[in-house]
Amino acid sequence: MPEALPDYRNLDVSGEAETAAARMEARAQEPASAAMFDAMIRPLLDEKVVDVLDIGCGTASLARRIAAELPSARVRAVDKSDTMLKVAARLAKAEGVSRIDMQTWDVTDEGAFPYLPGRFDLIVSSVMTIYLEDGEVADLVAR
């Protein structure tokens, strides 16, 4: 019988954040993940990209890759799971990528957005949007 998937909607409440982080990070280290980054994200990265936001970052594998590619960019990563962010910070430190600013934020609470209103040059999300309703995704993109 396959291993049950963690409840990604409430990882801190369910106590499954560490298990989910290990699963996410293992997936992020697979060659397919690097190939997807090369095909879908790397072409977007150039000298004009200065401010980056990774929404629902999980272990921040995408933010870490972007920070490594764009050493002068400000990379910010948000997730609603405090435990996920602790794992992400530990991984970033181990990789020597200490300049990613990581903050707790539930995307459904616009008023709690941890950054000043402004324009990001690139906004990415690799795992979060599947947990939102269609209207919530449309609203997020519009913002």
Side-chain angles (χ1 to χ4, degrees):
M1 183 169 178
E3 180 182 341
L5 291 175
D7 177 5
Y8 286 99
R9 295 175 199 227
N10 284 308
L11 292 172
D12 290 335
V13 174
S14 69
E16 298 175 291
E18 290 284 343
T19 301
R23 180 186 296 270
M24 279 184 174
E25 194 55 29
R27 205 173 296 144
Q29 297 308 314
E30 291 179 5
S33 181
M36 284 176 44
F37 180 85
D38 289 344
M40 298 172 73
I41 303 297
R42 185 171 277 127
L44 303 174
L45 306 179
D46 61 30
E47 67 280 347
K48 293 182 238 167
V49 176
V50 178
D51 290 298
V52 179
L53 176 63
D54 183 0
I55 300 174
C57 68
T59 61
S61 61
L62 187 53
R64 295 186 339 252
R65 281 190 169 130
I66 291 170
E69 289 287 321
L70 296 174
S72 62
R74 287 181 295 277
V75 179
R76 298 173 178 125
V78 294
D79 198 282
K80 76 176 195 174
S81 169
D82 289 324
T83 304
M84 254 322 164
L85 290 172
K86 287 176 186 169
V87 171
R90 187 170 60 236
L91 291 166
K93 182 178 179 183
E95 292 176 7
V97 184
S98 60
R99 60 186 182 71
I100 300 172
D101 182 58
M102 298 181 202
Q103 301 289 327
T104 304
W105 181 50
D106 182 338
V107 70
T108 63
D109 185 0
E110 182 178 356
F113 187 63
Y115 302 107
L116 293 174
R119 180 170 158 23
F120 290 94
D121 302 308
L122 179 64
I123 299 174
V124 296
S125 179
S126 61
V127 296
M128 186 267 320
T129 55
I130 62 170
Y131 299 103
L132 299 175
E133 299 295 325
D134 289 347
E136 290 173 313
V137 173
D139 183 54
L140 180 62
V141 170
R143 286 190 257 150

PDB file of all heavy atoms in Angstrom, residues 28-30 48 58 64 86-87 95 97 99-100 105 112 117 119 133 138 142:
ATOM      1  N   ALA A  28      12.426  17.776  -5.358  1.00  0.00           N
ATOM      2  CA  ALA A  28      13.150  18.931  -5.915  1.00  0.00           C
ATOM      3  C   ALA A  28      14.555  18.558  -6.363  1.00  0.00           C
ATOM      4  O   ALA A  28      15.125  19.225  -7.231  1.00  0.00           O
ATOM      5  CB  ALA A  28      13.213  20.049  -4.881  1.00  0.00           C
ATOM      6  N   GLN A  29      15.114  17.513  -5.785  1.00  0.00           N
ATOM      7  CA  GLN A  29      16.475  17.110  -6.135  1.00  0.00           C
ATOM      8  C   GLN A  29      16.533  16.139  -7.315  1.00  0.00           C
ATOM      9  O   GLN A  29      17.610  15.777  -7.770  1.00  0.00           O
ATOM     10  CB  GLN A  29      17.167  16.490  -4.911  1.00  0.00           C
ATOM     11  CG  GLN A  29      17.325  17.463  -3.749  1.00  0.00           C
ATOM     12  CD  GLN A  29      17.973  18.779  -4.154  1.00  0.00           C
ATOM     13  OE1 GLN A  29      18.975  18.801  -4.869  1.00  0.00           O
ATOM     14  NE2 GLN A  29      17.399  19.882  -3.712  1.00  0.00           N
ATOM     15  N   GLU A  30      15.383  15.719  -7.807  1.00  0.00           N
ATOM     16  CA  GLU A  30      15.349  14.802  -8.941  1.00  0.00           C
ATOM     17  C   GLU A  30      15.723  15.532 -10.232  1.00  0.00           C
ATOM     18  O   GLU A  30      15.457  16.727 -10.376  1.00  0.00           O
ATOM     19  CB  GLU A  30      13.952  14.188  -9.074  1.00  0.00           C
ATOM     20  CG  GLU A  30      13.626  13.236  -7.946  1.00  0.00           C
ATOM     21  CD  GLU A  30      12.235  12.645  -8.048  1.00  0.00           C
ATOM     22  OE1 GLU A  30      11.540  12.897  -9.054  1.00  0.00           O
ATOM     23  OE2 GLU A  30      11.846  11.930  -7.109  1.00  0.00           O
ATOM     24  N   LYS A  48      17.201  42.147 -15.669  1.00  0.00           N
ATOM     25  CA  LYS A  48      16.050  42.990 -15.318  1.00  0.00           C
ATOM     26  C   LYS A  48      15.278  42.448 -14.113  1.00  0.00           C
ATOM     27  O   LYS A  48      14.476  43.158 -13.529  1.00  0.00           O
ATOM     28  CB  LYS A  48      15.108  43.118 -16.512  1.00  0.00           C
ATOM     29  CG  LYS A  48      15.687  43.881 -17.673  1.00  0.00           C
ATOM     30  CD  LYS A  48      14.672  43.993 -18.781  1.00  0.00           C
ATOM     31  CE  LYS A  48      15.292  43.380 -20.016  1.00  0.00           C
ATOM     32  NZ  LYS A  48      14.388  43.141 -21.087  1.00  0.00           N
ATOM     33  N   GLY A  58       7.240  26.228   0.336  1.00  0.00           N
ATOM     34  CA  GLY A  58       7.613  24.929   0.895  1.00  0.00           C
ATOM     35  C   GLY A  58       9.051  24.962   1.385  1.00  0.00           C
ATOM     36  O   GLY A  58       9.424  25.788   2.220  1.00  0.00           O
ATOM     37  N   ARG A  64      15.686  28.981  -3.839  1.00  0.00           N
ATOM     38  CA  ARG A  64      17.132  28.729  -3.721  1.00  0.00           C
ATOM     39  C   ARG A  64      17.785  28.663  -5.098  1.00  0.00           C
ATOM     40  O   ARG A  64      18.874  29.208  -5.304  1.00  0.00           O
ATOM     41  CB  ARG A  64      17.387  27.447  -2.933  1.00  0.00           C
ATOM     42  CG  ARG A  64      16.940  27.556  -1.499  1.00  0.00           C
ATOM     43  CD  ARG A  64      17.271  26.374  -0.583  1.00  0.00           C
ATOM     44  NE  ARG A  64      17.540  25.107  -1.173  1.00  0.00           N
ATOM     45  CZ  ARG A  64      16.711  24.047  -1.130  1.00  0.00           C
ATOM     46  NH1 ARG A  64      15.528  24.131  -0.553  1.00  0.00           N
ATOM     47  NH2 ARG A  64      17.076  22.903  -1.670  1.00  0.00           N
ATOM     48  N   LYS A  86      11.190  26.833   8.441  1.00  0.00           N
ATOM     49  CA  LYS A  86      12.381  26.474   9.224  1.00  0.00           C
ATOM     50  C   LYS A  86      13.243  25.482   8.458  1.00  0.00           C
ATOM     51  O   LYS A  86      14.472  25.598   8.427  1.00  0.00           O
ATOM     52  CB  LYS A  86      11.978  25.910  10.585  1.00  0.00           C
ATOM     53  CG  LYS A  86      11.455  26.968  11.527  1.00  0.00           C
ATOM     54  CD  LYS A  86      10.966  26.363  12.823  1.00  0.00           C
ATOM     55  CE  LYS A  86      10.305  27.451  13.670  1.00  0.00           C
ATOM     56  NZ  LYS A  86       9.592  26.913  14.818  1.00  0.00           N
ATOM     57  N   VAL A  87      12.611  24.497   7.838  1.00  0.00           N
ATOM     58  CA  VAL A  87      13.347  23.534   7.009  1.00  0.00           C
ATOM     59  C   VAL A  87      13.990  24.269   5.829  1.00  0.00           C
ATOM     60  O   VAL A  87      15.164  24.048   5.518  1.00  0.00           O
ATOM     61  CB  VAL A  87      12.416  22.405   6.514  1.00  0.00           C
ATOM     62  CG1 VAL A  87      13.114  21.531   5.476  1.00  0.00           C
ATOM     63  CG2 VAL A  87      11.925  21.559   7.687  1.00  0.00           C
ATOM     64  N   GLU A  95      23.342  25.345   1.929  1.00  0.00           N
ATOM     65  CA  GLU A  95      23.791  25.595   0.554  1.00  0.00           C
ATOM     66  C   GLU A  95      24.521  26.924   0.412  1.00  0.00           C
ATOM     67  O   GLU A  95      24.957  27.283  -0.678  1.00  0.00           O
ATOM     68  CB  GLU A  95      22.595  25.578  -0.402  1.00  0.00           C
ATOM     69  CG  GLU A  95      21.965  24.217  -0.545  1.00  0.00           C
ATOM     70  CD  GLU A  95      20.726  24.228  -1.411  1.00  0.00           C
ATOM     71  OE1 GLU A  95      20.406  25.278  -2.022  1.00  0.00           O
ATOM     72  OE2 GLU A  95      20.063  23.185  -1.487  1.00  0.00           O
ATOM     73  N   VAL A  97      23.131  29.874   0.751  1.00  0.00           N
ATOM     74  CA  VAL A  97      22.220  30.852   0.152  1.00  0.00           C
ATOM     75  C   VAL A  97      21.477  31.524   1.307  1.00  0.00           C
ATOM     76  O   VAL A  97      20.359  31.181   1.634  1.00  0.00           O
ATOM     77  CB  VAL A  97      21.215  30.173  -0.812  1.00  0.00           C
ATOM     78  CG1 VAL A  97      20.338  31.209  -1.491  1.00  0.00           C
ATOM     79  CG2 VAL A  97      21.937  29.333  -1.839  1.00  0.00           C
ATOM     80  N   ARG A  99      20.659  34.802   1.647  1.00  0.00           N
ATOM     81  CA  ARG A  99      20.005  36.093   1.381  1.00  0.00           C
ATOM     82  C   ARG A  99      18.546  35.977   0.945  1.00  0.00           C
ATOM     83  O   ARG A  99      17.962  36.943   0.500  1.00  0.00           O
ATOM     84  CB  ARG A  99      20.800  36.884   0.363  1.00  0.00           C
ATOM     85  CG  ARG A  99      20.953  36.207  -0.942  1.00  0.00           C
ATOM     86  CD  ARG A  99      21.879  36.978  -1.877  1.00  0.00           C
ATOM     87  NE  ARG A  99      21.958  36.299  -3.135  1.00  0.00           N
ATOM     88  CZ  ARG A  99      20.977  36.235  -4.005  1.00  0.00           C
ATOM     89  NH1 ARG A  99      19.848  36.821  -3.769  1.00  0.00           N
ATOM     90  NH2 ARG A  99      21.121  35.576  -5.135  1.00  0.00           N
ATOM     91  N   ILE A 100      17.933  34.814   1.094  1.00  0.00           N
ATOM     92  CA  ILE A 100      16.503  34.691   0.798  1.00  0.00           C
ATOM     93  C   ILE A 100      15.746  35.118   2.050  1.00  0.00           C
ATOM     94  O   ILE A 100      15.957  34.588   3.138  1.00  0.00           O
ATOM     95  CB  ILE A 100      16.126  33.240   0.429  1.00  0.00           C
ATOM     96  CG1 ILE A 100      16.896  32.779  -0.797  1.00  0.00           C
ATOM     97  CG2 ILE A 100      14.614  33.137   0.195  1.00  0.00           C
ATOM     98  CD1 ILE A 100      16.729  31.309  -1.107  1.00  0.00           C
ATOM     99  N   TRP A 105       3.139  33.496   5.540  1.00  0.00           N
ATOM    100  CA  TRP A 105       1.970  34.162   4.973  1.00  0.00           C
ATOM    101  C   TRP A 105       1.026  33.137   4.382  1.00  0.00           C
ATOM    102  O   TRP A 105       1.424  32.273   3.603  1.00  0.00           O
ATOM    103  CB  TRP A 105       2.371  35.155   3.883  1.00  0.00           C
ATOM    104  CG  TRP A 105       1.212  35.897   3.277  1.00  0.00           C
ATOM    105  CD1 TRP A 105       0.220  36.562   3.950  1.00  0.00           C
ATOM    106  CD2 TRP A 105       0.898  36.035   1.891  1.00  0.00           C
ATOM    107  NE1 TRP A 105      -0.677  37.125   3.060  1.00  0.00           N
ATOM    108  CE2 TRP A 105      -0.282  36.811   1.785  1.00  0.00           C
ATOM    109  CE3 TRP A 105       1.504  35.593   0.727  1.00  0.00           C
ATOM    110  CZ2 TRP A 105      -0.857  37.150   0.575  1.00  0.00           C
ATOM    111  CZ3 TRP A 105       0.926  35.929  -0.485  1.00  0.00           C
ATOM    112  CH2 TRP A 105      -0.225  36.700  -0.560  1.00  0.00           C
ATOM    113  N   ALA A 112      -2.428  40.332   5.514  1.00  0.00           N
ATOM    114  CA  ALA A 112      -1.251  39.926   6.290  1.00  0.00           C
ATOM    115  C   ALA A 112       0.005  39.790   5.423  1.00  0.00           C
ATOM    116  O   ALA A 112       1.042  39.326   5.912  1.00  0.00           O
ATOM    117  CB  ALA A 112      -1.536  38.599   7.002  1.00  0.00           C
ATOM    118  N   PRO A 117       3.599  46.979  -0.263  1.00  0.00           N
ATOM    119  CA  PRO A 117       3.036  46.873  -1.613  1.00  0.00           C
ATOM    120  C   PRO A 117       4.060  47.363  -2.629  1.00  0.00           C
ATOM    121  O   PRO A 117       4.778  48.321  -2.389  1.00  0.00           O
ATOM    122  CB  PRO A 117       1.819  47.808  -1.571  1.00  0.00           C
ATOM    123  CG  PRO A 117       1.518  48.000  -0.128  1.00  0.00           C
ATOM    124  CD  PRO A 117       2.816  47.836   0.612  1.00  0.00           C
ATOM    125  N   ARG A 119       5.976  46.291  -6.731  1.00  0.00           N
ATOM    126  CA  ARG A 119       6.022  45.470  -7.927  1.00  0.00           C
ATOM    127  C   ARG A 119       7.158  44.477  -7.824  1.00  0.00           C
ATOM    128  O   ARG A 119       8.291  44.828  -7.514  1.00  0.00           O
ATOM    129  CB  ARG A 119       6.247  46.397  -9.126  1.00  0.00           C
ATOM    130  CG  ARG A 119       6.320  45.721 -10.432  1.00  0.00           C
ATOM    131  CD  ARG A 119       6.305  46.754 -11.525  1.00  0.00           C
ATOM    132  NE  ARG A 119       6.807  46.459 -12.816  1.00  0.00           N
ATOM    133  CZ  ARG A 119       6.958  45.312 -13.411  1.00  0.00           C
ATOM    134  NH1 ARG A 119       6.705  44.219 -12.803  1.00  0.00           N
ATOM    135  NH2 ARG A 119       7.394  45.205 -14.633  1.00  0.00           N
ATOM    136  N   GLU A 133      -9.034  27.455  -4.701  1.00  0.00           N
ATOM    137  CA  GLU A 133     -10.156  27.408  -5.629  1.00  0.00           C
ATOM    138  C   GLU A 133      -9.799  28.257  -6.848  1.00  0.00           C
ATOM    139  O   GLU A 133      -8.952  29.147  -6.767  1.00  0.00           O
ATOM    140  CB  GLU A 133     -11.414  27.968  -4.952  1.00  0.00           C
ATOM    141  CG  GLU A 133     -11.856  27.197  -3.716  1.00  0.00           C
ATOM    142  CD  GLU A 133     -12.300  25.784  -4.033  1.00  0.00           C
ATOM    143  OE1 GLU A 133     -12.890  25.564  -5.116  1.00  0.00           O
ATOM    144  OE2 GLU A 133     -12.033  24.891  -3.207  1.00  0.00           O
ATOM    145  N   ALA A 138      -7.313  33.152  -9.541  1.00  0.00           N
ATOM    146  CA  ALA A 138      -7.538  34.315 -10.416  1.00  0.00           C
ATOM    147  C   ALA A 138      -7.309  35.597  -9.651  1.00  0.00           C
ATOM    148  O   ALA A 138      -6.685  36.538 -10.156  1.00  0.00           O
ATOM    149  CB  ALA A 138      -8.944  34.267 -11.011  1.00  0.00           C
ATOM    150  N   ALA A 142      -4.401  38.417 -10.333  1.00  0.00           N
ATOM    151  CA  ALA A 142      -4.794  39.806 -10.585  1.00  0.00           C
ATOM    152  C   ALA A 142      -4.062  40.786  -9.672  1.00  0.00           C
ATOM    153  O   ALA A 142      -3.740  41.900 -10.077  1.00  0.00           O
ATOM    154  CB  ALA A 142      -6.305  39.975 -10.407  1.00  0.00           C
TER     155      ALA A 142
END
